[in-house]
Amino acid sequence: MDSSSVIEDPNSPDLKLLCIYAFDTLISALSKETIPSVFPESLKSKKFPLFVTWTTGPSKNLRGCIGTFKSDNLEKNLKNFALTAAFEDPRFNPIKLSEVKNLNVGISLLTNFEKAKDCYDWEIGKHGIQINFLKHYHATFLPEVPVEHKMDKETTLRELVMKAMYMGDLEDVKDKIELTRYQSIKLFMSYEQYCAFKKNK
């Protein structure tokens, strides 16, 4: 199966294995034990930018989210950012082994990058957006963020400018924003689903 057909079907068994791989990687690091894990053969040579998001419980409270826009080997990127999101997100303390039973993993494979005409040239729920302005400021929101927080475009952009650590207001810089829109395939798995998979393997 080529990468395009895999990516078009978020229910592909090979894509589900990416979530298993992320959990295996995290638990191996925390337990200091090597957990056998198989990376899907059909995706071994593929390159994608991605974000890994760890959340807790049914309410999916954010516990760590870090990724890259660099299109690198998928296996390498996933392993690196499963751990980076768990241990190096500056907003949170590193994840501990005792927390794993409450975790969910989300993996966003980023695709279809396009330079927007202006900062409003994107669709809520369809596009993630990355902004750059005044050379030093940049930030991104994945496609699901405005939807989950019930934000319109104006609010999303205002929050994103704040996320970029700019101390002024959106009105000061909206004509200077360079916006890139992108789409993503979002994969999700709870620890319970992970355990069920491992048990039935």
Side-chain angles (χ1 to χ4, degrees), residues 43-159:
L43 297 174
K44 275 188 174 291
S45 63
K46 306 309 177 189
K47 294 184 177 183
F48 286 99
L50 58 77
F51 274 70
V52 177
T53 304
W54 295 104
T55 59
T56 59
S59 57
K60 302 177 186 176
N61 294 315
L62 185 62
R63 191 61 182 82
C65 179
I66 295 181
T68 178
F69 286 100
K70 182 179 180 182
S71 185
D72 205 344
N73 176 268
L74 180 56
E75 183 174 6
K76 173 186 171 184
N77 261 355
L78 181 53
K79 184 172 185 178
N80 286 346
F81 287 97
L83 298 178
T84 304
F87 302 139
E88 298 180 30
D89 188 326
R91 297 170 292 179
F92 304 96
N93 292 324
I95 289 174
K96 299 177 181 178
L97 184 59
S98 60
E99 297 179 72
V100 171
K101 63 182 181 295
N102 296 317
L103 288 178
N104 314 295
V105 67
I107 300 170
S108 298
L109 302 177
L110 310 184
T111 63
N112 300 330
F113 285 80
E114 303 172 300
K115 189 175 180 61
K117 293 180 292 186
D118 56 49
C119 67
Y120 295 99
D121 183 25
W122 56 281
E123 294 181 36
I124 291 175
K126 178 179 180 180
H127 297 115
I129 56 174
Q130 179 186 29
I131 62 169
N132 295 279
F133 58 98
L134 301 178
K135 296 183 180 180
H136 305 296
Y137 299 97
H138 54 86
T140 191
F141 277 152
L142 295 171
E144 62 268 22
V145 172
V147 177
E148 290 175 353
H149 295 276
K150 297 180 173 60
M151 298 189 294
D152 58 17
K153 283 188 179 182
E154 196 78 17
T155 304
T156 300
L157 289 168
R158 187 172 292 109
E159 291 293 323

Side-chain angles (χ1 to χ4, degrees), residues 12-29 35-40 43 52 54 75 78-79 82-83 100 103-107 187-201:
S12 160
D14 282 351
L15 287 182
K16 295 291 185 185
L17 284 175
L18 297 183
C19 293
I20 300 295
Y21 188 79
F23 263 116
D24 284 343
T25 298
L26 176 62
I27 295 170
S28 292
I35 297 176
S37 186
V38 178
F39 193 87
L43 297 174
V52 177
W54 295 104
E75 183 174 6
L78 181 53
K79 184 172 185 178
L83 298 178
V100 171
L103 288 178
N104 314 295
V105 67
I107 300 170
L187 313 173
F188 177 86
M189 180 174 285
S190 67
Y191 179 71
E192 289 78 10
Q193 291 170 321
Y194 165 77
C195 289
F197 178 90
K198 299 293 275 192
K199 182 179 179 180
N200 296 325
K201 188 176 177 182

